[in-house]
Amino acid sequence: MLKTSAAGLNPIPKKREYGRTLIKKRRNSVLTENFYKNRKSEVWMSHQDCVTKLPNNFYTVASSKSSKYAILEHKNKSIFGIQFHPEVSHTNRGIILLKNFVFKICNAKKNWGTLNYKNNIIENLRKISKSEKIICGLSGGVDSSVTALVLSKAVKKNLTCIIVDTGLMRKNEFKNLYKIFKNKYKINVKLVNESILFLTKLKNVTEPEKKRKIIGKLFVKIFERESKKIKGVKYLAQGTLYPDVIESKSVTGSGTSKIKSHHNVGGLPKKMNLKLVEPLKDLFKDEVRSLGSSLGLDKKILYRHPFPGPGLAIRILGKITPEKIRILREADNIFMNELKKYKLYHKIWQAYAALLPVKTVGVMGDTRTYEHTCLLRAVTSKDGMTADHFYFPKNFLDNISNKIINNVIGINRVVYDITSKPPGTIELE
Ligand code: XMP
């Protein structure tokens, strides 16, 4: 039984529990085999509502200090209830619990692997596009690159990839991308420069969701315009992943609240002339990388840190100007080069520089400065759903701060973000 408000909509935040919590074993259960150490296990709680009464025929398997019924089990049916999040990496042995459920309780067979979903995706794409043409937005990130490659395996002659230069990409972003896809993979690629359009539409816009929506709409407008130039285009393919879908809307119709509009899902207009194809929408990042590897994707692209569709627009907090883009590009480029030089890049799931909407006073030589603040973010994660900040060796942070301030005119302060996800998100907007 869940405690909810009178209208039944918003749970009363009575037994709120948040963060790492110890739960204690009360009874044996197949679900919790090998889950405890000394009858205890650390789990991630994140709830405002709670089970207040044990339903008929259920017993308690484990409890925490605040949640008496942290795990429940039916007396004679395979029905379980858990109050915490076994799926996040902060639940230390959550994977054991999930494996027990899938293999020991549901008796599922382990037949979900790269080859399996690769063949399913290719087969489905061939069913969708027998003769109709598909255009695919290609940004050079892992997701869109794998989307383009899997499409080319399935329906190469029907595919055109469009690279849109939004003016919001990182330094040297498009260098080689066009060449790799055109020459190495022999895919039909078109490069469109729309940086002035993007910057004009984003002028003076500060609200993060508004930025995302504007960018999403512009992408669709450009893709629709480009599609009219090619006869028989019916579909627009995008590299949407499962976490993007979860965070953009409630996929299951459940109470998952919207966190942000990922430009390739929540940012799309309701009415669109092209039908959407999202071949990766059931996959997590590690599965996408494994699919990309099996398709022979260039390693430089395959192991790049994720980069969001709206690009630097959501890493320049507040108003976006060409000058701020220049400053951020330089800082981010220095950060990436240093990470590679110190062999830290591949130890980190995602790292980037952002520009905060604050200026602070500093002193350089004999001169007073009043310049921008650069925020550095570097996180470890398995799938982007949860993340922890990366522990840099102290010297690295000293060096990078000096290097950015000395080389980028317009920045006089560097800060490092140590917020985990949750409560933060990986991006700032
Ligand atoms: P957050 O900020 O939600 O990010 O913790 C999780 C992962 O998703 C990426 N991200 C995006 N990717 N379009 C994308 O293709 C988007 O609009 C978008 N917003 C966030 C983010 O970089 C991180 O890897």
Side-chain angles (χ1 to χ4, degrees):
M1 180 190 281
L2 290 179
K3 262 212 158 156
T4 54
S5 67
L9 294 174
N10 299 315
I12 300 165
K14 246 193 154 174
K15 287 254 179 163
R16 204 184 127 122
E17 237 182 335
Y18 182 78
R20 289 191 165 90
T21 308
L22 272 184
I23 60 166
K24 276 191 192 159
K25 178 177 171 174
R26 300 278 173 233
R27 256 177 192 267
N28 282 337
S29 166
V30 181
L31 187 69
T32 53
E33 273 174 15
N34 303 319
F35 180 59
Y36 306 102
K37 262 192 184 157
N38 300 327
R39 300 180 66 85
K40 287 181 189 154
S41 201
E42 192 174 74
V43 303
W44 184 258
M45 291 282 186
S46 181
H47 62 95
Q48 302 204 37
D49 43 12
C50 67
V51 179
T52 56
K53 196 178 150 206
L54 202 60
N56 286 343
N57 294 319
F58 275 80
Y59 52 69
T60 312
V61 174
S63 313
S64 73
K65 243 187 193 160
S66 305
S67 295
K68 201 167 162 193
Y69 311 115
I71 305 182
L72 301 179
E73 180 172 350
H74 194 277
K75 283 179 184 157
N76 37 47
K77 294 182 186 167
S78 288
I79 305 176
F80 301 82
I82 43 179
Q83 184 78 78
F84 54 92
H85 289 262
E87 78 285 8
V88 304
S89 58
H90 307 319
T91 295
N92 287 348
R93 287 184 290 278
I95 190 74
I96 297 177
L97 214 131
L98 294 173
K99 276 185 177 167
N100 287 343
F101 182 72
V102 171
F103 299 118
K104 294 183 180 168
I105 294 163
C106 302
N107 293 318
K109 297 277 166 292
K110 202 172 180 175
N111 56 8
W112 174 254
T114 314
L115 191 64
N116 191 277
Y117 55 77
K118 178 167 108 180
N119 291 340
N120 280 348
I121 290 172
I122 291 177
E123 209 175 291
N124 282 338
L125 287 171
R126 284 188 181 143
K127 272 187 213 151
I128 290 174
S129 158
K130 287 200 179 84
S131 56
E132 295 94 345
K133 301 250 163 45
I134 300 186
I135 56 168
C136 170
L138 183 61
S139 70
V142 188
D143 310 341
S144 70
S145 301
V146 174
T147 304
L149 266 193
V150 80
L151 277 162
S152 85
K153 274 270 182 279
V155 287
K156 192 170 199 158
K157 66 174 182 14
N158 296 341
L159 174 69
T160 304
C161 289
I162 314 265
I163 303 176
V164 182
D165 183 350
T166 57
L168 296 161
M169 306 310 274
R170 288 166 298 186
K171 199 170 176 178
N172 303 327
E173 194 83 48
F174 294 121
K175 208 172 149 195
N176 293 331
L177 181 66
Y178 181 78
K179 268 198 222 149
I180 290 180
F181 278 84
K182 186 101 191 154
N183 301 339
K184 185 168 175 185
Y185 301 119
K186 313 263 181 263
I187 292 177
N188 199 7
V189 196
K190 189 172 177 190
L191 186 62
V192 195
N193 186 342
E194 292 293 353
S195 46
I196 293 173
L197 176 66
F198 274 83
L199 292 193
T200 310
K201 294 281 181 196
L202 287 166
K203 198 170 176 189
N204 293 329
V205 178
T206 54
E207 214 273 309
E209 276 298 291
K210 207 165 169 194
K211 284 184 185 173
R212 286 173 172 273
K213 290 259 159 76
I214 290 172
I215 293 168
K217 276 186 194 148
L218 281 179
F219 266 110
V220 173
K221 213 169 143 189
I222 292 162
F223 290 141
E224 283 188 331
R225 187 196 67 203
E226 291 303 316
S227 71
K228 286 188 189 133
K229 297 180 187 167
I230 308 163
K231 217 175 150 209
V233 174
K234 275 251 171 73
Y235 296 99
L236 167 65
Q238 296 196 126
T240 310
L241 306 196
Y242 190 58
D244 306 338
V245 180
I246 299 173
E247 295 198 341
S248 279
K249 58 185 169 183
S250 164
V251 261
T252 55
S254 74
T256 323
S257 56
K258 173 170 157 177
I259 295 169
K260 62 177 77 154
S261 304
H262 281 246
H263 96 264
N264 41 9
V265 252
L268 292 181
K270 287 204 176 75
K271 210 171 153 273
M272 212 170 59
N273 294 330
L274 295 166
K275 286 189 198 157
L276 260 190
V277 179
E278 296 173 313
L280 314 181
K281 77 173 188 324
D282 295 326
L283 306 184
F284 284 96
K285 194 70 141 202
D286 54 340
E287 293 173 314
V288 171
R289 285 211 166 99
S290 143
L291 176 63
S293 165
S294 80
L295 293 165
L297 182 61
D298 193 285
K299 284 207 166 51
K300 273 200 199 109
I301 298 178
L302 196 58
Y303 294 106
R304 276 177 98 176
H305 291 174
F307 184 68
L312 301 182
I314 56 166
R315 293 179 178 173
I316 295 172
L317 279 66
K319 286 184 194 171
I320 300 162
T321 63
E323 174 65 354
K324 286 185 188 170
I325 297 176
R326 177 201 64 78
I327 293 173
L328 181 55
R329 268 198 191 127
E330 290 305 322
D332 190 76
N333 190 46
I334 293 174
F335 189 27
M336 293 307 118
N337 287 342
E338 291 297 289
L339 289 177
K340 286 173 191 159
K341 190 168 128 195
Y342 285 86
K343 303 210 180 325
L344 293 170
Y345 186 86
H346 293 296
K347 292 187 179 161
I348 293 167
W349 198 78
Q350 186 169 7
Y352 65 84
L355 218 54
L356 297 182
V358 276
K359 280 186 158 188
T360 63
V361 172
V363 55
M364 285 178 90
D366 295 333
T367 322
R368 174 191 186 271
T369 57
Y370 184 56
E371 302 285 13
H372 294 283
T373 303
C374 170
L375 174 140
L376 302 180
R377 183 119 169 94
V379 295
T380 53
S381 176
K382 283 203 179 101
D383 49 23
M385 298 294 288
T386 57
D388 283 307
H389 75 88
F390 183 74
Y391 280 89
F392 280 114
K394 183 183 170 290
N395 285 353
F396 181 85
L397 285 175
D398 293 349
N399 284 341
I400 193 75
S401 166
N402 278 341
K403 206 153 202 161
I404 290 176
I405 291 170
N406 282 326
N407 289 286
V408 186
I409 297 169
I411 292 178
N412 68 348
R413 194 171 294 268
V414 174
V415 295
Y416 183 50
D417 184 352
I418 57 163
T419 318
S420 66
K421 173 183 179 178
T425 49
I426 294 175
E427 301 293 341
L428 303 180
E429 288 197 331

